[in-house]
Amino acid sequence: MDLQQQPRQAPVHPGAVSGALLVLAASVLWGTTGTAATFAPDAGPLAIGAVAMGVGGLLQALTALRPMGRARLQLQGQWKLVLLGAVAVAVYPLAFYSSMHLAGVAVGAVVSIGSAPLASALIERAFDRHRLSVRWVGAALLGLSGTALLCFAAAQGGGHSAGTAGDAAGGTLAGIGLGLLAGLTYALYSWAAHRIIGGGVPARAAMGAMFGAGGLLLMPVLLATGAPLLASWGNAAVGAYMALVPMFAGYVLFGLGLARVRASTATTLSLAEPVVAAVLAVLVVGERLPLQGWIGIMLVIASLAVLTIPGRRRRVKTDAGVPAAKGSGGGAPFTSASSDGAGSGAGSGAGSPGGS
């Protein structure tokens, strides 16, 4: 009889593979939003953003009516955070789709997605007093360097299709600025959701209330700008796709995946979104970027990887002398690499910017 105890391996969750595939599928759906918007050229970015987040947000609220009803007193007690998150939810799609309209799908999507984790850490530093780690600083330098290269490529006329590249450098730079605003507002509503859920409100109720209120705020924008969406069956199909597939079905897939895999794994898999957005922009939309533009995109994606991929755990002694793990672990689906490198959740269930 062997008296030596063999080390036990952690069991693999039976649904881990299916969970990873679900999260990856959601990321792919989110990555199609910018390209899908180009199939409704008569509908402006404000109409596209309003129908995507407005209708999608109201659908999320409808599916969460029961949890919201049970948590109505808790939600009323945190109405300021709900309102802040709703305003950010309403501003985000307008900035996001305007960014892709002006800067091109690849540049606008990558800047919006890449700047959100950095903005999230700054928000946590300002409101939650989380210190910025060396890891975050390194990721920030990568992201800023990538954005600078994208700006340089924009100045040379990159980021648009051949027919419009020569006269859009100024608009591209404005689009990059709107992409930074999109990243900030995404981080803001993710932070608000995290605080609401941390205050004891169930996740479905918190997200339903915030997205539902944001969707209501977007209805006047949709009424004012959405007429082209009804001008043709093609435009209407694009609007329906944006609201139902990436915005609604994407969140359903992401939520199902999160029940099967660690949040840190889900976040890493979500890095597929900017890759899908950039590839579709080139293959389907016909955008062209100079070499420095592609290098800039890769630097932004590398910044996301540094922020989201879990770091190595290290052992520290507790007061009782028992080793305890310390280091980066999986936070919520959106991590900021603040506070000693550990991923702190910036929005439980908030998903990824492109699909938000």
Side-chain angles (χ1 to χ4, degrees), residues 251-272:
Y251 274 109
V252 172
L253 292 174
F254 191 77
L256 292 173
L258 274 179
R260 295 168 172 81
V261 299
R262 292 180 58 187
S264 56
T265 302
T267 308
T268 305
L269 291 169
S270 296
L271 296 176

Side-chain angles (χ1 to χ4, degrees), residues 170-273:
T172 304
L173 293 176
I176 289 174
L178 286 169
L180 295 174
L181 176 62
L184 174 62
T185 50
Y186 171 74
L188 189 60
Y189 78 67
S190 298
W191 173 83
H194 178 64
R195 291 293 295 268
I196 295 169
I197 295 168
V201 179
R204 285 190 64 197
M207 300 304 292
M210 199 172 62
F211 275 77
L216 288 175
L217 291 176
L218 284 167
M219 287 300 101
V221 179
L222 182 59
L223 290 175
T225 64
L229 291 171
L230 302 177
S232 68
W233 285 107
N235 290 353
V238 169
Y241 172 84
M242 300 289 278
L244 297 176
V245 180
M247 293 306 308
F248 184 69
Y251 274 109
V252 172
L253 292 174
F254 191 77
L256 292 173
L258 274 179
R260 295 168 172 81
V261 299
R262 292 180 58 187
S264 56
T265 302
T267 308
T268 305
L269 291 169
S270 296
L271 296 176
E273 180 185 350

Side-chain angles (χ1 to χ4, degrees), residues 71-183:
R72 62 183 181 278
L73 294 179
Q74 295 167 292
L75 289 169
Q76 289 173 5
Q78 301 196 56
W79 68 270
K80 291 182 180 179
L81 283 172
V82 174
L83 179 60
L84 174 65
V87 171
V89 163
V91 173
Y92 165 74
L94 306 181
F96 180 63
Y97 289 102
S98 295
S99 172
M100 290 190 291
H101 178 74
L102 292 172
V105 173
V107 174
V110 170
V111 170
S112 299
I113 296 165
S115 63
L118 307 179
S120 176
L122 292 176
I123 290 171
E124 290 179 355
R125 178 70 180 91
F127 295 102
D128 300 331
R129 300 295 183 237
H130 288 177
R131 69 182 181 86
L132 301 179
S133 65
V134 174
R135 183 180 179 182
W136 182 89
V137 173
L141 291 175
L142 283 173
L144 291 173
S145 299
T147 303
L149 279 175
L150 285 172
C151 290
F152 183 74
Q156 291 187 325
H160 285 75
S161 60
T164 61
D167 58 355
T172 304
L173 293 176
I176 289 174
L178 286 169
L180 295 174
L181 176 62

Side-chain angles (χ1 to χ4, degrees), residues 36-67:
T38 64
F39 287 93
D42 297 333
L46 298 182
I48 293 293
V51 72
M53 186 68 89
V55 176
L58 291 177
L59 286 175
Q60 287 199 49
L62 287 174
T63 60
L65 284 178
R66 286 188 178 181

